[in-house]
Amino acid sequence: MNFYKERLLLYAVTDSGWVGRQTMCQQIEDALKGGATMVQLREKKLDADAFTAEACQVKEICHQLQAPLIINDNVEVALRSGADGVHVGIEDTPVAQIRKRAGRDFIIGATAKTVDQAQAAEAAGADYLGVGAVFPSPTKKNAIRITTEDLKKICSSVSIPVVAIGGVNLENVGELKGGGMDGVAVVSAIFGAEDIQEATRELKAKVESVIGCCRHTAI
């Protein structure tokens, strides 16, 4: 599936801790119907086979609703499931190694917390950057915080698109106005909501108003 910066506008990142009333697939479908533009499937506890099987199911939903599926950290699962790409952290498989193995059309996202890390990831072949944590994160309590000014510096230092991540929700996303990012990645603001479709719809409208003034130029 083609990747362009608008895919990052509202990037939904899953968390199995919120699965209960609905299955993971049902939650993702609701998020996409509410307006999420891309999905990252994150599973820290499943073995490779179970993760791959779930990824295959989620991929079908994402592609039916015209959204790319990105796998968190696990390159093998991404390739085996036919997902559209992978997102890797600073200490995960190097971007250049993934690019060499997976080819040009495979989407690679990379975490960056500094200008140096951002520029290195871009040089290695990353398609986009995840930058944060911009707010305290309920899913990563020990995540290093960065300021909106840090976010702005990172965004202006690279030509690839940037998504802000870490504790972003409907109440605080307005504080990122002027940060230079192309979208936000959220977990609990979508998947922790009582009504996922409606929460996604409201958040997307707010994000569009914030991003409208600070989008990057075209890739």
Side-chain angles (χ1 to χ4, degrees), residues 14-18 24 41-52 54 72-74 77:
T14 68
D15 182 345
S16 58
W18 294 109
M24 178 75 76
L41 184 60
R42 183 169 63 185
E43 288 286 8
K44 298 295 187 180
K45 297 180 180 179
L46 294 182
D47 63 34
D49 288 342
F51 194 175
T52 300
E54 182 178 75
N72 178 259
D73 291 350
N74 198 315
V77 167

Side-chain angles (χ1 to χ4, degrees), residues 73 88-94 111 117:
D73 291 350
V88 289
I90 296 162
E91 297 179 353
D92 295 322
T93 308
T111 297
Q117 290 173 354

Side-chain angles (χ1 to χ4, degrees), residues 63-170:
H63 287 188
Q64 284 173 9
L65 295 171
Q66 301 300 306
L69 172 63
I70 306 298
I71 301 299
N72 178 259
D73 291 350
N74 198 315
V75 181
E76 294 299 328
V77 167
L79 292 172
R80 287 172 57 191
S81 66
D84 300 289
V86 69
H87 186 97
V88 289
I90 296 162
E91 297 179 353
D92 295 322
T93 308
V95 170
Q97 184 177 323
I98 300 170
R99 177 63 68 210
K100 183 177 180 180
R101 180 180 179 192
R104 181 61 256 171
D105 293 336
F106 191 72
I107 303 168
I108 304 175
T111 297
K113 297 181 181 294
T114 66
V115 167
D116 286 347
Q117 290 173 354
Q119 292 178 335
E122 179 178 30
D127 292 296
Y128 74 88
L129 300 174
V131 176
V134 292
F135 299 112
S137 172
T139 57
K140 291 190 175 183
K141 298 185 185 300
N142 297 322
I144 297 171
R145 290 283 309 282
I146 69 164
T147 65
T148 303
E149 188 60 32
D150 293 330
L151 174 63
K152 190 173 181 178
K153 288 177 181 177
I154 290 171
C155 290
S156 63
S157 75
V158 295
S159 60
I160 57 176
V162 173
V163 59
I165 189 169
V168 180
N169 57 44
L170 185 65

Side-chain angles (χ1 to χ4, degrees), residues 191-209:
F191 293 112
E194 189 71 21
D195 185 334
I196 290 175
Q197 277 197 53
E198 182 59 27
T200 306
R201 194 172 294 115
E202 290 180 6
L203 183 56
K204 186 178 184 181
K206 186 65 177 288
V207 172
E208 286 175 333
S209 71

